[in-house]
Amino acid sequence: MTKIDTSSPGNALPTPSHTVGPFYGYALPFPGGGDIAPVGHPDTVTVQGYVYDGAGDPLPDAFVEVWGADPEGRVSRVDGSIRRDPASGGYLGRNGVEFTGWGRVQTDANGHWYVRTLRPGARGDSAPYLSLCVFARGLLVHLFTRIYLPGDDPALAADPLLSRVEPARRDTLVAREQADGTYRFDIRLQGEGETVFLEFT
């Protein structure tokens, strides 16, 4: 968008840049946004962590979207993550049966986020991973990264993307197992231990 300088015809000034948040807090989060796996599914995992800024402080108003394949490595084509009542427009929740593979959560007051999803299966030559997108104040564009789950060292070593990342930074893409089925993945936007982010061209 271009802002027109009306005091001097013919001169156009660029519109000032804006960050991607936190203006999204009202309409984009929805109840149960992190509960992606159907209730009671045996392959459910929980991935949780914090979003930190460049000073190492947690961000209470960041926003995280997660996509993942199902345990067989298939990407879901099912609609239904955000179902609404056709009459009132009110949120109905997920249907609890189909796996859409997608979730959206806002960090809490302590910068914490979590999703409950299905452990993804491998796709092609890649080790199993979840795709993640981060929106936060101070960012001019959202950031993409991946969350690899530990447990299959040969697959992680052979992963085409991980093998291109400097060895000292690969750990920023691999979650840490905390307990059976629970993983920790912190997102550091800048500074020491900065998460590796991806650029798609």
Side-chain angles (χ1 to χ4, degrees), residues 11-31:
N11 290 339
L13 302 175
T15 300
S17 62
H18 298 276
T19 67
V20 297
F23 57 82
Y24 48 69
Y26 169 70
L28 294 179
F30 59 96

Side-chain angles (χ1 to χ4, degrees), residues 94-184:
R94 298 175 191 268
N95 67 14
V97 179
E98 276 91 13
F99 173 69
T100 65
W102 178 81
R104 176 190 288 160
V105 294
Q106 186 170 354
T107 55
D108 66 16
N110 298 313
H112 183 260
W113 67 276
Y114 86 93
V115 293
R116 264 187 350 88
T117 189
L118 298 183
R119 185 179 185 95
R123 296 169 54 207
D125 295 331
S126 297
Y129 67 88
L130 297 168
S131 295
L132 187 137
C133 184
V134 184
F135 302 80
R137 59 182 142 119
L139 298 178
L140 298 180
V141 294
H142 46 282
L143 301 173
F144 293 98
T145 190
R146 286 184 178 179
I147 304 171
Y148 289 92
L149 300 181
D152 189 343
D153 291 341
L156 292 172
D159 182 86
L161 187 137
L162 275 179
S163 64
R164 293 173 57 196
V165 176
E166 299 170 34
R169 299 197 62 206
R170 285 182 196 150
D171 284 349
T172 71
L173 296 177
V174 182
R176 296 189 321 269
E177 188 164 13
Q178 294 188 297
D180 189 31
T182 302
Y183 300 88
R184 170 99 180 242

Side-chain angles (χ1 to χ4, degrees), residues 5 26 45 50 64 74 85 105 164 171-172:
D5 179 0
Y26 169 70
V45 295
Y50 293 84
V64 177
R74 295 184 303 250
D85 183 307
V105 294
R164 293 173 57 196
D171 284 349
T172 71

